[in-house]
Amino acid sequence: MLMQTLPMSPAAHSAEPEDMALVRRAARADVSAFEQLYRRHHRRVHGVIVRLVGQAGARAEDLTQEAFLRAWQALPSFRFESAVSTWLHRLAVNTALMELRARRSRPWQEDDDDALDAVATPDTVGRAVLGRDLERAVASLPPRARAVLVLHDVEGWKHEEIAGELGMAVGSSKAQLHRARGLLRARIGETA
């Protein structure tokens, strides 16, 4: 796989009871408890949205806010069957997928590839820069290819799940993944 998600740290495991207590309080309309949940999970939610929709600017922040708004509305029905972080992560993925579907219903533009290519400029100063280059390269992918790559290689989804969520055939999901990986190899090769 191109990228793997990191396992939860021991600190994250010990934070889960605190998260559960915050959810219970927030479900009773305790705004300060919800603000604490937001502060604890904002970066991860925002990160998955950016990776899926490829926009690190204001739109990604709007979608992050939308995901947390949905979380606030759904808190009273939270069943404590999964970790709060897992639940919020899934809300973020669903929010990003809804954005991708909405884009699909608008006149399709294969993401302004020329404009995005300018974002992926060569940069060779250490590993941190390589990570940024990889993030830029992923962000520069066409939207459907990027979504399939992130859902498959980062989130660990199966092609059948991706096809169902993105409204495409399983073969199209596989083709988009192949396309995304090829584009990434080419773009990363250009910066090396």
Side-chain angles (χ1 to χ4, degrees):
M1 297 274 151
L2 176 65
M3 298 172 257
Q4 297 291 324
T5 54
L6 298 173
M8 268 205 288
S9 67
H13 286 295
S14 65
E16 192 58 34
E18 292 174 41
D19 280 351
M20 294 295 193
L22 289 171
V23 166
R24 283 184 185 89
R25 288 179 36 216
R28 293 188 304 266
D30 183 337
V31 175
S32 69
F34 188 74
E35 287 173 357
Q36 289 177 48
L37 281 171
Y38 176 85
R39 276 188 245 110
R40 292 171 84 127
H41 298 281
H42 173 265
R43 293 180 99 182
R44 183 169 185 231
V45 167
H46 186 261
V48 74
I49 288 173
V50 167
R51 283 190 298 278
L52 281 167
V53 301
Q55 299 174 343
R59 185 63 187 144
E61 190 57 41
D62 289 346
L63 292 170
T64 301
Q65 296 302 319
E66 188 175 322
F68 277 100
L69 175 62
R70 290 181 181 163
W72 173 256
Q73 293 167 339
L75 276 173
S77 62
F78 184 72
R79 296 185 307 248
F80 298 93
E81 294 173 357
S82 65
V84 174
S85 59
T86 302
W87 179 69
L88 288 171
H89 184 264
R90 183 60 192 182
L91 274 171
V93 168
N94 287 341
T95 301
L97 291 176
M98 285 190 291
E99 169 71 7
L100 291 173
R101 284 198 271 318
R103 280 189 201 171
R104 223 174 123 208
S105 68
R106 296 189 293 260
W108 186 257
Q109 296 174 355
E110 195 59 34
D111 242 14
D112 300 325
D113 279 337
D114 296 332
L116 289 173
D117 281 339
V119 173
T121 57
D123 197 351
T124 57
V125 183
R127 288 184 185 264
V129 172
L130 179 60
R132 284 194 304 267
D133 286 346
L134 180 60
E135 289 291 328
R136 286 185 189 123
V138 170
S140 74
L141 295 173
R144 289 172 68 83
R146 178 181 53 247
V148 171
L149 177 90
V150 170
L151 290 173
H152 187 273
D153 286 358
V154 177
E155 301 299 323
W157 288 28
K158 306 259 185 271
H159 285 289
E160 293 76 15
E161 296 169 310
I162 296 168
E165 284 291 332
L166 296 180
M168 63 173 61
V170 172
S172 295
S173 176
K174 291 177 181 179
Q176 289 289 341
L177 179 62
H178 178 74
R179 177 183 184 210
R181 287 175 175 170
L183 288 169
L184 267 183
R185 276 192 292 275
R187 289 176 180 164
I188 290 172
E190 292 169 2
T191 63

